[in-house]
Amino acid sequence: MDKVIWGVIGTAKIARERALPGMLKSELIEIRAIASRDEGAASRAAYALNIPKAYGSYEALLADPEIEAIYNPLPNHLHVPLTLKAAAAGKHVLCEKPIALTAEEATALRDAAKKVLIAEAFMVRFHPQWIRARELVREGRIGELRAVQMFFAYNNLDPANVRNRADIGGGGLYDIGCYPIVAGRYFLESEALRAVALIDRDPAFRTDRLTSGLVDFGGGRRLDFTVSTQLAPWQRLNLCGTKGRIEILIPVNAPQGAPTRILVDDCRSLDGAGIVPEELPASDQYMLQGEAFSRAVRGEVALPWGVEDAIANMRVLDALFRSERSGAWEPVAAP
């Protein structure tokens, strides 16, 4: 197929160091331009990544008639406003997670998504390790999946970092808590019914620095997770069934362009004697995500997850934040 011509609004670290290097590997993608409100930052990023054009405003990039699709890695509070501007300019949009600050805000994207493609950038769903793990669950390898457990932490104390700014959507639940939620929905293949959270906030930043959540999917199935922005970096995902479990060792920040392993455990022994490692081929989840979106732009495949999926994820986040205030279980209700 003809390459899809992409533009990037913003020079976020995730774009410069992960998403764009991955996308640039693809034969289906051409990244033609990058924009920043700081033209110098745009020029430096363009030079480092060998991107032909640099713009000193988002509007200038959106006015470029050559650009077909936009990657939006801006801070969380700008996800919906700039996605709407890009859609109004006739551009398809792959927007970083979380797609909005609330489910209600995300619903503003519904009308735009009738004219262009809009998706939330959960690259993990395109990685072979997630795909293979779900295949094994569907095959009944671990019996009936009842519990999804995830831990994800990093340590960032920089007051200037966007993740530590409460006024623009910082904090652990927005930044990384969205991954356990998408994991629960992906592997249990259903929507959550209710949620409860225990949240500790940084006294200076006012962002949530340690959050644990319990999400009920009904039928005795649940997600429990802990995320933190101020703990030693570590991450694990366990899928626990009636006959065994599957462990994804690096569920989110899988090494780009390298093989990964999952562990399939029949749980015959607590010392791990029943663990069988399964190696997945070298891959780059950012490249695979960009390719899937590009194929959808060309009409070769349907967009696997769109705005309604993003709204469903935001509903769980909303319920967890409401639970912090109420101290009780909160329903995951449609806005």
Side-chain angles (χ1 to χ4, degrees):
M1 72 178 216
D2 292 338
K3 288 185 177 182
V4 173
I5 309 303
W6 287 73
V8 184
I9 47 175
T11 57
K13 183 177 180 180
I14 189 174
R16 292 182 286 105
E17 297 187 3
R18 295 183 183 176
L20 299 185
M23 294 171 72
L24 285 164
K25 297 175 185 177
S26 175
E27 295 296 322
L28 308 182
I29 294 169
E30 180 182 343
I31 300 176
R32 183 73 58 83
I34 189 167
S36 171
R37 287 177 291 192
D38 177 346
E39 189 168 2
S43 296
R44 289 189 294 274
Y47 177 80
L49 294 165
N50 199 29
I51 295 172
K53 295 182 181 180
Y55 288 109
S57 73
Y58 306 143
E59 293 74 17
L61 184 147
L62 296 179
D64 187 333
E66 296 180 338
I67 303 299
E68 300 174 88
I70 294 293
Y71 171 56
N72 178 358
L74 293 169
N76 296 341
H77 71 302
L78 295 176
H79 286 176
V80 168
L82 268 297
T83 294
L84 287 173
K85 284 187 177 181
K91 317 297 186 186
H92 307 285
V93 186
L94 178 63
C95 180
E96 265 306 329
K97 51 75 200 167
I99 204 163
L101 297 180
T102 65
E104 183 177 6
E105 184 190 23
T107 62
L109 299 172
R110 278 176 168 154
D111 286 343
K114 297 174 183 176
K115 301 172 184 177
V116 297
L117 300 181
I118 299 175
E120 191 171 19
F122 280 114
M123 74 293 178
V124 289
R125 293 186 291 202
F126 298 90
H127 198 289
Q129 64 182 358
W130 279 54
I131 294 169
R132 178 57 178 157
R134 187 162 73 166
E135 286 176 353
L136 292 170
V137 170
R138 287 173 170 176
E139 291 169 4
R141 183 73 170 271
I142 60 170
E144 182 183 352
L145 177 62
R146 295 277 183 84
V148 177
Q149 297 182 321
M150 188 166 179
F151 186 95
F152 188 1
Y154 59 80
N155 199 339
N156 185 330
L157 299 175
D158 179 5
N161 190 281
V162 294
R163 294 163 184 80
N164 292 324
R165 291 186 53 188
D167 59 321
I168 60 173
L173 191 51
Y174 276 136
D175 188 42
I176 54 179
C178 54
Y179 285 109
I181 294 167
V182 84
R185 296 176 56 241
Y186 180 86
F187 289 108
L188 292 168
E189 300 194 68
S190 61
E191 297 300 342
L193 302 179
R194 59 179 182 153
V196 65
L198 181 62
I199 293 178
D200 175 58
R201 292 188 175 270
D202 185 283
F205 301 151
R206 300 308 306 155
T207 54
D208 61 296
R209 62 183 177 184
L210 178 61
T211 293
S212 296
L214 188 60
V215 183
D216 179 15
F217 283 80
R221 300 169 305 152
R222 64 188 55 168
L223 159 72
D224 64 87
F225 70 90
T226 293
V227 295
S228 177
T229 61
Q230 295 183 18
L231 288 179
W234 192 66
Q235 53 188 262
R236 280 294 187 278
L237 174 60
N238 271 285
L239 309 174
C240 304
T242 54
K243 296 180 180 178
R245 70 179 183 94
I246 299 168
E247 182 174 354
I248 302 180
L249 301 177
I250 311 177
V252 178
N253 299 123
Q256 291 182 253
T260 54
R261 285 194 312 152
I262 62 174
L263 306 180
V264 184
D265 186 0
D266 65 13
C267 297
R268 73 182 69 166
S269 172
L270 294 178
D271 65 5
I275 293 175
V276 177
E278 187 169 324
E279 185 166 301
L280 285 306
S283 64
D284 189 312
Q285 58 193 347
Y286 293 98
M287 182 187 81
L288 295 171
Q289 173 182 248
E291 289 187 335
F293 193 88
S294 295
R295 287 191 177 98
V297 167
R298 287 286 176 262
E300 294 199 350
V301 299
L303 188 67
W305 295 281
V307 166
E308 293 305 320
D309 174 82
I311 293 171
N313 226 57
M314 289 305 309
R315 288 173 185 158
V316 185
L317 285 169
D318 285 353
L320 290 162
F321 280 122
R322 289 198 309 271
S323 176
E324 177 190 14
R325 298 188 293 271
S326 70
W329 283 93
E330 291 289 339
V332 179

